[in-house]
Every structure is written in C-alpha cells, then in structure tokens.
Amino acid sequence: MTISAPLSSVVSRVAALWSAALALAYVCLAASAAFAVEPVKIARDDNALDLTATTEIYTNQGEAFQVSTAAGADGIRRRIEVRSTSEGHQGDWAVFALANVSEEQLERVIVAPHFRLSGSKMFWPDLGSQRIMAITPSEGFALDRVPSADADVFRITLNPGTVITFVAELATPELPQIYLWEPDAYKDTVNAFTLYRGIVLGIAGLLAVFLTILFVVKGTSMLPAAAALAWAVLAYICVDFGFLEKLITLTSSDIRIWRAGAEVALASSLVIFLFTYLNLNRWHVHLGYATLAWMLGLTVLFGVAIFDPSIAAGIARVSFALTGVVGIALIIYLGFNRYDRAVLLVPTWALILVWLFAGWLTVTGQLDNDIIQPALGGGLVLIVLLIGFTVMQHAFAGGAYQQGLFSDLERQSLALTGSGDTVWDWDVARDRVVTSPDVSLRLGLSPGTMHGPARNWLPRLHPDDRDRFRATLDVLLEHRKGRLSHEFRIRAEDGHFHWLKIRARPVLGSNGEVIRCVGTIIDVTEQKNSIDRLLVDAMHDNLTGLPNREVFLDRLQAILSLASSSESVRPTVLAIDIDRYKQVNDALGIAAGDNILIAITRRLRRLLKPQDTLARLSGDEFGLILVSEKDPAKIADFADAVSKAIMVPLNFANREINLTASIGLVSWVDQQESAASLLADAELAMFRAKRSGGNRVEPFRPAFRTVSTDRLQLETDLRRAIERKELSMAYQPIVKLANGEIAGFEALMRWDHPKRGNISPTEFIPIAEMSDLIEPLGMFALERASSDLMEWERQTGELPVFVSVNLSSAQLISSEIYNDIRAMLVKTQCDPKRIKLELTESVVMENPEQARLMLEKLKDTGISLALDDFGTGYSSLAYLTRFPFDTIKLDKALVCDQSDKKSVLLRSVVSMARGLDMQVVAEGIQTDQDAADLAMMGCDFGQSYLFGPPLGAESVLRLLKERFPLMKRA
C-alpha cells in the first residue's frame, strides 16, 4: 500500500498530461482544417432545394483537404480527408451536408450549372466553366456523374435517417449555384426549358433568314444592318441555350470564347443598326467618325476574346448599355426634329431599355431565378421581331402609289424647303412682315421679334443701310412693278452684324396697288466675309499682315508723285533679305521660320514712323519706304539700326537663333524714275550685299545695273538656245586602267554662243539652276547622250561602253524626273544599264531623304548611279551605304596629291569601294605611272586629258570604229 498510493498519483498525472496533449492536438488540427457544416434536411416531397447558401467554399487548400462532418444520428462529428482526383486541381473545395429525415430511401441529383447569367457581373464577367470535378461523401464511394452538356450532375442515394457530408472538388473557386433535384422533376424542368428554347431558337433563325432574304430582294442600307443584328442574336442564343455544343465539340474554355464573341457581335450589330437606320452621317460628319471608331474598337474585341474572354465580354456589355443610352438620346433629339425614322424606332428602343434594365438586375444578382436567363433570350428575339416590322415599313413604303405627280405649287414648296432659304412675306395692307422659319431665332432674338410692321426692322439695321432700305421699299410701292433685290446689315443680339439679302416681287391687287411682297431672305454674311478676306489677302501678307509687293509699289508710286512736286518728300527704298533663312527654315521647320518672320516684322515696325511703309515682298525679303528721314547720315544710321535689330538673337524651342540681313539702299534722285525701277535698284544693291558675304548695307551704284543686265541677257540667250537646239554635247573618254580600252564617256554640255563664242558650263549652268531652265537643260543632255549612244551602235554594232551624264539638284528633287527618264528610255530605245547618272555630294545633301527615295526609284529602272567628286565633302563615306550608288568618282584633288598621307587615304578608299562591290573612276590622272599605280590599287577606270580630251559625237564615232573594228556591221 505504501507503494500503490504514489503509483496511483503518478498514473493520474500522466493521464492528465495525455488528455491535455490530445486536446492541444485537436485544437491545432481544427485550426488547420475546415469545420463541420449544418446539414440540409430533405423530406420526401422536396423536389428541388437550393444548396448555394448552405455550401461552404474553401480556396487554396491544396491537394489534401480535411473537414469535420456534420453530426450523425448518434450525435458524433467525425473528420474526413479528401484528396484531389485531377493533376490540374487548384486546391478549391466545397462542403455541404444532407440529412434524410424521411423513413424511406431517397434518390436525388446534385446539379451545378456551368453558366448562369444571374450574378455573372458587369465587368470581368463569369462566362461559365466546369464547376465540380468530383464529389466525395463521408460515407460510401464517390458519386457517379450523370452526362450533361451544360451542368455538372451527380446522382446520390440517401438512406433513411442518414446524415452525410459531401466534399466537392471544384474546378474554379466560383460556384454560382448548386441545386439538389428529384431526378424526375429535374428531367421535366430540363425538357420544359428545351421546348421553350427550341421555339425561341426557331423564331430567331426564321427572323435572321427572313431579314437576309429581304435585304437581297430590296437592298436598302438598313436591311443588312437589321439582318446582321438578327444573326448576332441567333448566335448569342445558340451559345446561351447550349445548341452550339450539339453541333460541334467544345471544351469549357472554347465555350467561354464563343460566348464572349457572341456578346461582342451583339454589341457591334446594335451600333451598326442604330447608325444605319437613323442615317446618322447625314446629321453630322463627326457622328460617322465616332461610330467608325466605336466599331473599330469592338472589332478589336473579337481578337481580345480569344486571349481573355472576360475582358471582351465586359467591354461588350458596357458597349451594349452605352448604345442603348446614346440611342434613346438620339431618338429623342431627332424625334423633336420631326425625323420619322426616329419616331418609328421609339417602341423598339423602349423595349431595348427595359431589356437592358432587366439584364442589369440579372448580371448584378438582384434577379436570381432560373427563368430570367431564357426570358432575356426570348426578349432579344422579340426586339429583333419589332426591328423587322419597323424596317419593313421603310422597305415597302414609297411605292408607286405614293410617287404621283406634284403640282407646280408643291414643286415650288419643296424646292424652297430644300434650298434652306427663309420666306419673307410683307403684307403691305396690314403692314406686317412674317418670316418662315423665324429669322429672329437666327439673330439670337426672342421668337417673333422681327415680325410686325416693316418699320420695326429699321432700329436694328446698320446706320448706313437704314435710308437705303426705306428708299428701296418706297420705290417698290411707288412703281408697283419690278423685283426687290436688296442687301443690308442687321444687328444680332450679340452685337455682331449679319448681312441679309432679300429677293422678292410685288403682288398687285384688283386696284393695281401692291398688296403683298413675297420672296426669300438669306444670310450672306459668309459670302461677304469671304469677299472681304479676299480683298485683304490680295493686298496684305497672310502671315505678317504687312502690305504685299503690289501695295508697296502702289504706295511708292504715290510717294514719288508727291516727291516730284514737293521738296520736303525725298523717299529712300530699302530691300532687306534675311541671310541663311532657308537653312534655318530647313533645320528647324516651317513653324520656326514663320515665327522668325513675325518677330522680325515686330522689330522693324518699332523703328518706323507713321509716314514710313514696311512690306513683305517675298519669302524672306522685306521692302521699306523711308520718308521720315532725308539726311544721308540719318538714313545710314537708320539702315544700321535695321541691321542691328535683325541681329538680336531669337529664342525658339530653347534654342538661340542668330540672324543677319543683306540690305540694299537707294534714294530717289531722278524724277523720271518709276516705283518698279527704284525697287529693282534697291534689290540689285541687296543682291550685291549678299554676294559679298551678307550682313552688310550696300548703297546702290549705277554699275550694278550692267552686271544684272548681262545676267538677264545670258538667261534669255540660254532659253533661246534650248528652244533652237543650239547646245551640243562633248564626250570625254573613260578608259579601263587595266588595258587602256575605252569603257565609256562622260557627256559634257557645250554652248557656242553666236556672238560671245564658247561659254563655259561654269558660267551658264548656275544661271540655269537659278531660273527654270535647269530641268529642260538636264533632260536635253540625257536625251542627246542616249540618242548619240544608239547612233554609235547603229553605225558600229553593239558596243561595251556606257555614257555618264551629270544630274543637278533641281532635277533630283523634281517629282517628274522618274517619269521623264522612263519616257526618254522608251523614246531612244536605250538600254538603261548603259546610262550612268553622276551626282555630287552637295546635290544629295540639299534634301537627303527626298534624294534617297528618288535615287532608289531611278535605280529600279536599271540606270547606274555614280557619286561624283568623292573625297571633297565631309560625310561622303556615309553615303556609300545610305544611297544606292554603284560607282564612285575620285576627285582629282585626291588623285593628284602625291603626299604619303594622301596615298594611304587613296588606297583605303579604293579598297573600301572594292569591298562594297563598287566600281572606282579616278579623275585628273596626269601620268602613265599614276595610271599604273591606280590600276595596281584596284581602281577600275580613269578619266583625264591623259586619255583624251572631250570629243564631238562624230569624232567619238570615228574613234569607236577604230577601237572596235570587229563589231562593225556588214
């Protein structure tokens, strides 16, 4: 006993500790697993029970899930563990419990629909999916799945008095609805819905086919839009009613894409129908643009539906709702404007709004029953049915019975209404003026303000027009014949004046007096403003607001007339041209150039006095008539002030721009001199200042006229020489350095002037470039060179030679050069591979992007391209890859320099060209040794007086016959 007492104490303590450990383990286990749910009691007469509210959802629980069961008949709660049956399971589970309180065995089916419109949400909607993968009961085996296309259906058997807990393995964490059905009741419900859906589907199909046939037969624009809407509704119903799954095999992810696509099609077709039926583009062009943008956005949604159906369906639902709201606003607005189509659409659109409201209640979960979803599908068919009736009224209206002949009065009324003019009716006997529509509204006045006696119009007329208006009406009444055609200004409520024009004729009574005057009144304010703008534009520069050249000359001529009779008037003319303005304009853009001219205009205006005149003569040339100063010293100071004002830096886009000006100055001294000649003298002085480097003031000297006259005469002679074909071509040989054989010729233009003899190209080519002669001159050279080449071949046979022709910048930027060269090749029948166009770096750099595009087009014709004077520019190496040149011509400055550095550079350039698969022509070779050295370097051709001077076409022919005797034809 002495031992047993302590032993019993120890045993009791161990038991207490073991109980505490078990309790702690149970608490920990309960914290990591799900608790038991309360069972749903099922009686024998319960045909359908909604288990959604009593079902517990557990997410992200892993592959193994533990849960406490509901208390059984013995009151004991047990724990079960369920493992997932699918590898793709996300760890989402649902738990519910059922208790059979009846005394007999119950057969039931558990149903979880794949898609429910109710509660599917407006944004990122739930478009349906497989809900339950498997169901495991706390007693027995896993439930058997019943085949079904649109729901997860499982069959269960509940014994009397049993309480069973079910653990459902979810495919998605969302379980919109889970029902417990009596099998026969579920079957009857499915069959009833199947019959309803079949009827609705048949009606929808018939409507779509009928409207399509109607479109084919009638062909009006609203019918294809209505047919498209009908087909979209049919597609939506096929997907929603599960008919599509019976036609093709679809997975759960596929059906989501089809459902989203159907909703996008529904939204798109409704927008198209609304736009087409109401003919919105006739009301405002922006409505057409907005609808097009809307449709493009919905079209993109079809692609989005493939990758994310929820986003596409959500946007489609929002678009459908917005279309309904925008549609009712347009219908109300157009209905008040008496547009019959809008009025006829009111019942249909009212039904659409009711459908939208019911749909909103459904997707937000406020309407939650099994009838609402198929009812909404039937509502869509009803909407299409109403639309079909509406469009049929228009399709078959306006038949022959309504297209009878109009009377003359009806024609006149329709013509007047169509013109948009306002009827002006003056009842002379009662002295009452009426306008229809009311002109008061156009003037911003209260309705009927301009109705009443004609004298009521006088206070609102412009003061200068009142007497003319009154006198015109009096003359009409006095003569009792003729027509009234009168323009006048009338003040609107905002204070602005409108120009109105009345055209009317009197109506005489039986006594020969005027009893009425009826006609039209139109607003001609825009026409008057346009005329005023044209007058202003004809005399002023649009950008700066300064007078133009014509106004400048007119004012100068008026001042010269005063100067001849008054000693106090001694005008001085300044011609001001901005230096390097074109480069700034090209570098910074047109906006910068315009701002520069405006800023310079403001600066120059500050220097002027009221009697002086500033004008813009051309792009960057200004003219100034200085009358306020006569003293030569003060005139010189003024010209210097003008130059300094232009030199002040300008800031544009955080860049500082420094400009200078070339200024020509001439003072009036000869009374016989005209305004045009005085301005011409000032411009001659300005040109001399620009040729001297710019940024200077150059007074006019008579010697300047001689230089200008020579240039103008030379330009005239050159134009005549082109017309009379007095120009000729000379050809300098280009030889192969490897064997000295002739490879081609460079075409050089020659001008033998009748009086001045031979004129160098360096003298007349710049003149041609400054005038409009360079393009015909260049085409003359190309055509003559091609013709001579073909003539040589005709005389000697086919020759292995080419002809190089220089191309100017004016030709390169011309949009017609490509077509001109193609036409020339067709005309001369010359092989384009035998023609080589030579361009210098400066020509290409005048407009690099335009030059690149044009050269690529010319290259496509087969013509070869050569970069001339290579090695004289700063960026020539970059052009070898940017532009499609196949030949480079080394400048003689690079070829003739014998220094070591130049020799290394020459070898590098030749090697680089060979690496780029380009041919190399060396110009200015002076000795045979230089030619041999260049050949050793890899240079292909040479051109200089060492190989021959430029020859005429006949001399070239003789040379070719000597060099290629075997090719001479028999």
Side-chain angles (χ1 to χ4, degrees):
M1 295 297 293
T2 58
I3 299 175
S4 61
L7 183 60
S8 63
S9 177
V10 170
V11 170
S12 64
R13 289 179 181 178
V14 170
L17 290 173
W18 181 250
S19 299
L22 288 176
L24 181 61
Y26 178 77
V27 170
C28 294
L29 184 63
S32 62
F35 294 101
V37 295
E38 291 299 321
V40 177
K41 297 178 180 180
I42 306 172
R44 179 176 177 276
D45 297 331
D46 293 333
N47 291 329
L49 291 176
D50 189 353
L51 305 180
T52 309
T54 59
T55 301
E56 304 264 348
I57 305 296
Y58 300 91
T59 59
N60 300 322
Q61 298 297 315
E63 296 183 357
F65 178 65
Q66 293 183 356
V67 64
S68 296
T69 65
D74 54 2
I76 299 176
R77 296 181 182 272
R78 297 173 176 79
R79 298 194 63 78
I80 61 174
E81 179 176 319
V82 181
R83 292 187 174 275
S84 63
T85 61
S86 173
E87 296 181 357
H89 185 240
Q90 302 296 321
D92 302 323
W93 305 86
V95 180
F96 60 93
L98 302 176
N100 184 359
V101 298
S102 68
E103 296 180 354
E104 60 183 65
Q105 190 180 58
L106 300 179
E107 295 288 337
R108 295 290 185 269
V109 289
I110 298 172
V111 180
H114 289 169
F115 172 74
R116 289 193 84 233
L117 185 64
S118 178
S120 61
K121 297 181 292 185
M122 189 75 171
F123 301 98
W124 285 276
D126 183 359
L127 298 180
S129 177
Q130 182 183 4
R131 303 297 179 179
I132 300 176
M133 303 170 68
I135 298 180
T136 303
S138 58
E139 297 179 7
F141 299 98
L143 302 186
D144 295 330
R145 180 184 290 271
V146 178
S148 176
D150 54 0
D152 295 318
V153 183
F154 296 88
R155 187 181 299 277
I156 64 172
T157 302
L158 299 175
N159 293 321
T162 58
V163 179
I164 301 178
T165 301
F166 297 89
V167 180
E169 181 182 345
L170 300 182
T172 62
E174 291 85 12
L175 187 62
Q177 186 188 61
I178 181 169
Y179 256 88
L180 184 69
W181 283 90
E182 195 278 325
D184 291 336
Y186 177 67
K187 182 178 180 180
D188 293 341
T189 303
V190 170
N191 290 337
F193 276 117
T194 301
L195 177 61
Y196 168 77
R197 290 170 176 172
I199 294 172
V200 172
L201 193 62
I203 296 174
L206 287 175
L207 281 174
V209 172
F210 174 73
L211 289 174
T212 303
I213 294 174
L214 198 63
F215 155 59
V216 173
V217 173
K218 195 67 179 176
T220 57
S221 60
M222 70 181 73
L223 289 175
L229 180 59
W231 284 107
V233 169
L234 179 62
Y236 177 82
I237 291 176
C238 285
V239 175
D240 192 52
F241 287 0
F243 181 72
L244 185 64
E245 299 176 47
K246 294 178 172 55
L247 298 177
I248 57 177
T249 303
L250 295 174
T251 64
S252 58
S253 59
D254 293 338
I255 198 65
R256 294 176 73 248
I257 296 174
W258 280 94
R259 191 179 302 280
E263 294 192 11
V264 173
L266 197 61
S268 304
S269 59
L270 186 63
V271 174
I272 295 173
F273 171 75
L274 181 66
F275 176 81
T276 306
Y277 181 80
L278 294 180
N279 202 8
L280 295 181
N281 58 335
R282 68 174 283 189
W283 298 99
H284 202 289
V285 66
H286 292 316
L287 289 176
Y289 294 147
T291 305
L292 178 61
W294 198 334
M295 283 307 306
L296 290 176
L298 290 175
T299 304
V300 173
L301 284 185
F302 284 104
V304 176
I306 299 175
F307 301 98
D308 197 329
S310 294
I311 292 180
I315 297 176
R317 292 181 179 185
V318 173
S319 172
F320 198 91
L322 284 177
T323 306
V325 175
V326 172
I328 193 61
L330 289 171
I331 290 170
I332 292 174
Y333 172 76
L334 297 177
F336 279 109
N337 282 274
R338 301 177 182 178
Y339 189 40
D340 60 337
R341 288 194 182 185
V343 176
L344 289 175
L345 200 60
V346 169
T348 302
W349 218 260
L351 181 60
I352 290 176
L353 293 180
V354 172
W355 189 92
L356 283 173
F357 181 68
W360 175 73
L361 293 176
T362 303
V363 299
T364 55
Q366 300 178 59
L367 284 179
D368 188 7
N369 55 66
D370 295 334
I371 300 176
I372 185 64
Q373 183 171 338
L376 288 175
L380 283 175
V381 176
L382 183 58
I383 289 171
V384 174
L385 188 62
L386 280 178
I387 287 176
F389 288 145
T390 304
V391 298
M392 282 176 61
Q393 290 179 342
H394 288 278
F396 295 102
Y401 65 91
Q402 292 183 341
Q403 297 177 359
L405 296 176
F406 292 113
S407 66
D408 290 342
L409 183 60
E410 288 173 326
R411 288 195 187 95
Q412 294 172 10
S413 176
L414 287 173
L416 186 60
T417 303
S419 68
D421 295 347
T422 300
V423 177
W424 185 78
D425 184 4
W426 180 28
D427 188 343
V428 179
R430 294 187 300 164
D431 192 17
R432 177 174 176 77
V433 175
V434 177
T435 58
S436 178
D438 191 356
V439 76
S440 307
L441 301 177
R442 184 174 297 179
L443 298 175
L445 305 174
S446 301
T449 302
M450 302 304 293
H451 292 174
R455 61 179 178 272
N456 290 351
W457 287 52
L458 295 177
R460 289 199 167 272
L461 295 183
H462 193 280
D464 296 340
D465 297 338
R466 292 171 187 169
D467 292 339
R468 289 194 306 109
F469 182 80
R470 186 188 296 111
T472 301
L473 296 184
D474 292 341
V475 169
L476 183 69
L477 297 178
E478 181 180 352
H479 288 81
R480 299 188 293 277
K481 62 181 180 179
R483 293 179 181 271
L484 174 63
S485 182
H486 183 67
E487 294 181 354
F488 56 91
R489 287 162 289 181
I490 190 166
R491 188 180 69 254
E493 187 64 19
D494 58 4
H496 292 86
F497 282 93
H498 288 241
W499 277 95
L500 300 182
K501 182 175 184 178
I502 291 179
R503 284 184 173 179
R505 64 181 304 171
V507 179
L508 303 181
S510 57
N511 57 356
E513 298 294 330
V514 177
I515 61 173
R516 209 175 195 90
C517 190
V518 182
T520 61
I521 181 170
I522 58 176
D523 191 328
V524 294
T525 305
E526 286 298 325
Q527 293 89 319
K528 286 289 185 179
N529 291 340
S530 298
I531 293 173
D532 292 340
R533 283 194 297 269
L534 288 174
L535 292 175
V536 172
D537 293 344
M539 295 185 294
H540 292 81
D541 173 53
N542 289 331
L543 178 64
T544 61
L546 296 175
N548 58 19
R549 179 181 287 266
E550 286 72 19
V551 177
F552 181 84
L553 291 173
D554 183 71
R555 292 186 183 179
L556 180 57
Q557 191 62 50
I559 293 173
L560 294 181
S561 300
L562 293 175
S564 61
S565 59
S566 174
E567 292 290 336
S568 61
V569 179
R570 288 294 180 267
T572 298
V573 177
L574 284 78
I576 307 165
D577 188 82
I578 310 302
D579 299 329
R580 297 180 297 103
Y581 175 77
K582 183 179 183 300
Q583 289 84 342
V584 174
N585 205 15
D586 292 341
L588 301 181
I590 297 175
D594 291 346
N595 285 327
I596 289 172
L597 294 178
I598 293 172
I600 290 175
T601 299
R602 291 173 180 170
R603 292 178 182 179
L604 296 181
R605 275 178 168 169
R606 297 191 190 104
L607 303 176
L608 303 182
K609 293 183 179 179
Q611 59 268 42
D612 300 328
T613 298
L614 177 65
R616 185 184 178 193
L617 304 181
S618 62
D620 60 338
E621 182 183 353
F622 294 86
L624 195 152
I625 306 174
L626 184 63
V627 183
S628 58
E629 300 292 347
K630 294 185 294 182
D631 183 42
K634 292 184 177 181
I635 293 173
D637 292 341
F638 179 84
D640 187 59
V642 169
S643 179
K644 291 180 179 178
I646 295 174
M647 291 174 63
V648 175
L650 290 165
N651 290 318
F652 182 81
N654 297 325
R655 297 183 62 175
E656 187 174 275
I657 304 171
N658 295 291
L659 296 173
T660 59
S662 298
I663 302 175
L665 181 150
V666 60
S667 295
W668 179 79
V669 292
D670 186 2
Q671 294 189 359
Q672 302 298 323
E673 196 162 19
S674 64
S677 61
L678 198 63
L679 176 59
D681 290 344
E683 289 180 328
L684 285 175
M686 179 266 292
F687 289 137
R688 176 56 65 94
K690 187 171 286 292
R691 283 196 294 269
S692 299
N695 191 20
R696 58 184 295 167
V697 179
E698 187 74 43
F700 172 75
R701 292 190 294 273
F704 293 168
R705 292 176 180 167
T706 304
V707 176
S708 175
T709 302
D710 291 344
R711 180 186 174 281
L712 291 175
Q713 184 61 45
L714 194 60
E715 180 181 337
T716 303
D717 293 344
L718 180 58
R719 189 182 304 274
R720 186 183 298 111
I722 296 175
E723 294 174 355
R724 298 179 180 179
K725 302 186 183 302
E726 295 177 355
L727 299 168
S728 61
M729 302 299 296
Y731 302 92
Q732 186 170 24
I734 300 174
V735 301
K736 297 178 183 178
L737 294 180
N739 54 18
E741 287 295 333
I742 294 178
F745 298 89
E746 179 178 1
L748 304 172
M749 193 170 297
R750 295 291 183 261
W751 182 17
D752 188 9
H753 194 277
K755 296 180 179 179
R756 300 177 57 179
N758 288 326
I759 299 178
S760 171
T762 58
E763 186 176 353
F764 68 83
I765 292 296
I767 294 176
E769 290 179 343
M770 294 178 64
S771 61
D772 58 348
L773 299 176
I774 189 60
E775 292 187 35
L777 200 64
M779 287 308 302
F780 165 79
L782 274 169
E783 187 172 343
R784 176 60 63 84
S786 302
S787 300
D788 287 344
L789 178 60
M790 298 308 295
E791 178 63 21
W792 299 336
E793 287 199 347
R794 191 181 67 82
Q795 295 284 344
T796 62
E798 186 175 351
L799 296 170
V801 296
F802 60 85
V803 175
S804 295
V805 183
N806 290 281
L807 199 67
S808 70
S809 59
Q811 288 179 278
L812 185 61
I813 64 175
S814 173
S815 59
E816 299 296 327
I817 181 65
Y818 175 73
N819 294 328
D820 290 343
I821 289 181
R822 290 189 59 186
M824 180 272 297
L825 293 173
V826 173
K827 179 181 178 181
T828 60
Q829 297 295 311
C830 182
D831 185 359
K833 296 180 181 179
R834 312 283 293 283
I835 301 297
K836 191 185 296 289
L837 299 181
E838 295 187 4
L839 302 94
T840 61
E841 175 186 340
S842 59
V843 168
V844 175
M845 276 306 295
E846 287 190 11
N847 195 332
E849 190 60 27
Q850 173 72 14
R852 183 183 64 81
L853 295 174
M854 187 57 66
L855 290 177
E856 289 178 352
K857 290 183 66 177
L858 293 175
K859 187 70 174 178
D860 292 340
T861 64
I863 289 178
S864 301
L865 300 175
L867 181 60
D868 198 6
D869 297 340
F870 187 84
T872 60
Y874 298 99
S875 307
S876 296
L877 297 178
Y879 302 147
L880 299 182
T881 55
R882 285 188 58 193
F883 297 96
F885 292 113
D886 49 43
T887 304
I888 60 174
K889 296 190 71 173
L890 303 179
D891 188 76
K892 59 183 179 180
L894 183 62
V895 173
C896 297
D897 196 321
Q898 300 299 321
S899 63
D900 294 337
K901 291 183 179 181
K902 285 288 186 177
S903 178
V904 173
L905 179 60
L906 185 60
R907 291 178 182 274
S908 300
V909 170
V910 174
S911 176
M912 176 187 61
R914 301 293 296 178
L916 293 175
D917 196 22
M918 301 177 69
Q919 295 181 337
V920 183
V921 180
E923 292 185 299
I925 301 176
Q926 296 179 347
T927 64
D928 293 334
Q929 184 60 42
D930 291 341
D933 292 342
L934 287 167
M936 291 293 294
M937 294 180 189
C939 183
D940 301 286
F941 306 108
Q943 176 185 346
S944 69
Y945 276 85
L946 179 65
F947 308 111
L951 304 173
E954 294 295 331
S955 300
V956 171
L957 178 59
R958 290 193 295 270
L959 178 63
L960 292 175
K961 288 181 179 180
E962 295 174 359
R963 291 292 185 99
F964 303 101
L966 298 179
M967 294 185 179
K968 187 175 181 180
R969 294 179 181 177

